[in-house]
Amino acid sequence: MKPTIKNIQPYIAEAPVQAIQQAYHLDHIARLSANENVYGASPKVYEALQQLNQDVLNYYPDGNANDLRQALSQLTGIAAEKFLFGNGADELISLISRVFLTSDSNIVIQAPTFGAYRTEANIEGAEVRAIPVFEQNGHTDFSGMLNAIDEKTSLVWLVNPNNPTGVFEPVTDIENFLNQLPPDVVLVVDEAYYDFVNNQTATALPLLENHDNLIVVRTLSKAYGLANLRIGWLATNAAIHRDINAIRAPYNLSSYQIAGGVAAIEDQDYLQKVVAGIQDERTKWLAVLDSLNVPYYVSDTNFLWFKVADAKRLGEQLLSQGVQVNSRLNPQWIRIAIGLPEDNLLAQKITSKYIHTAAQ
Ligand SMILES: *Cc1c(COP(=O)(O)O)cnc(C)c1O
């Protein structure tokens, strides 16, 4: 077997809400730990799933996901043949790593960032070069990342806006960075949280026109509220597209994923409504953090990243009162998704109390 596998630790999945309810004797848990969309998916998705005829179950789905391809092409203006689909963006991250990484290569990422890139590099035995974001504001150290690149670098991963920091980089800065990359280094821009950015011209997709070493990844798990349906997509040019598609399992998206994804993408009104609600709540949260003098990075996503004396302790206080957050990423930083207004109020109240107590 691959010797690298023995050192890989399994991903610790989120504790199910029901298990927490039982452990803490609570009726309600606000699940704000995995950046999910608590507002839920468009009702049109449920209609589409119900309308799927039962006789589709015994046949393989459309391996080309043509309906979804067309819907995305309509939405983005990108040519339909540039898309590739995955069982979540997770699968795409895996496929990209499978194609480009060897035990003789390295990847360049930010720190902190989404964990999957490192895990996939570990599986392939590739070296990981993690360049810290600027401590003060969480922005990307582009020149640090450029300096980390050498002749063995295969992939650079950039999450925009970044997870867990929430920080967004203007697309002009990404273009600048891309222009300085050696042409054999592939830049992957993971835009999982793109829909939450206030400025909707903020995607790297238009850069595909002049750059063949670029992959843009998105997911329907966050803003579209479909984490459980597992739909990710990427867009890239012909040569890279060919290589990733060559190793993709032929039927990696079911008819349910395809039909549900199409319905979600076609209901942009619903998406805009949900995003506007989350942006409102985000503004309120940031005002609370300001009033408490809590250091945070400016978020363009559906979650916040802020600094406290003891993240574990606040995480435990939130959980015991019904708010599940992620406090295991950093000893001093907490990541909390933006929930429904009443859950946000509860989380803000607990956080305020924690800060006031800690200050005494
Ligand atoms: C949540 C997340 C993903 C995973 O998306 P799925 O489509 O649910 O697999 C990918 N990238 C980032 C940065 C994420 O935060």
Side-chain angles (χ1 to χ4, degrees), residues 107-339:
I107 66 166
V108 175
I109 59 174
Q110 304 170 87
T113 198
F114 190 55
Y117 319 123
R118 180 185 289 275
T119 304
E120 295 293 341
N122 288 343
I123 293 170
E124 299 305 328
E127 183 197 338
V128 177
R129 299 184 173 181
I131 308 304
V133 299
F134 291 115
E135 168 80 28
Q136 198 193 340
N137 55 19
H139 276 281
T140 304
D141 181 0
F142 284 110
S143 62
M145 290 178 85
L146 278 175
N147 287 336
I149 291 167
D150 65 12
E151 68 285 353
K152 293 192 169 179
T153 304
S154 307
L155 291 176
V156 177
W157 297 92
L158 195 71
V159 190
N160 196 39
N162 194 12
N163 172 10
T165 61
V167 173
F168 168 73
E169 304 298 346
V171 77
T172 46
D173 291 353
I174 294 178
E175 183 172 21
N176 220 339
F177 179 69
L178 194 49
N179 286 335
Q180 295 174 76
L181 280 187
D184 61 333
V185 173
V186 173
L187 173 67
V188 189
V189 184
D190 182 338
E191 296 186 337
Y193 301 96
Y194 162 76
D195 296 285
F196 297 110
V197 182
N198 278 321
N199 169 6
Q200 291 296 304
T201 59
T203 171
L205 282 174
L207 305 181
L208 286 170
E209 213 163 297
N210 295 315
H211 297 274
D212 282 334
N213 56 338
L214 174 66
I215 303 172
V216 179
V217 175
R218 297 257 188 104
T219 175
L220 273 65
S221 293
K222 308 286 161 55
Y224 286 91
L226 289 176
N228 201 345
L229 207 51
R230 315 299 306 125
I231 305 165
W233 59 266
L234 68 74
T236 191
N237 287 316
I240 292 178
H241 189 285
R242 194 223 77 88
D243 292 342
I244 301 172
N245 197 43
I247 63 159
R248 174 181 68 87
Y251 305 111
N252 61 336
L253 243 56
S254 73
S255 298
Y256 291 86
Q257 290 167 298
I258 295 168
V262 169
I265 286 164
E266 287 179 347
D267 196 354
Q268 288 295 309
D269 285 350
Y270 181 84
L271 179 78
Q272 295 314 326
K273 238 177 21 204
V274 166
V275 166
I278 290 171
Q279 286 171 338
D280 269 4
E281 287 297 305
R282 186 169 73 198
T283 307
K284 290 187 210 161
W285 243 121
L286 294 182
V288 170
L289 293 178
D290 275 332
S291 75
L292 293 171
N293 258 323
V294 167
Y296 64 85
Y297 293 155
V298 176
S299 169
D300 265 296
T301 61
N302 65 330
F303 58 84
L304 299 162
W305 179 244
F306 61 85
K307 193 176 185 185
V308 293
D310 186 347
K312 222 181 211 134
R313 183 137 170 262
L314 175 56
E316 187 54 38
Q317 288 179 7
L318 285 159
L319 187 61
S320 66
Q321 292 170 78
V323 183
Q324 187 182 9
V325 303
N326 193 329
S327 55
R328 53 187 161 91
L329 293 168
N330 183 294
Q332 290 198 294
W333 289 79
I334 286 242
R335 195 191 68 192
I336 179 166
I338 291 158

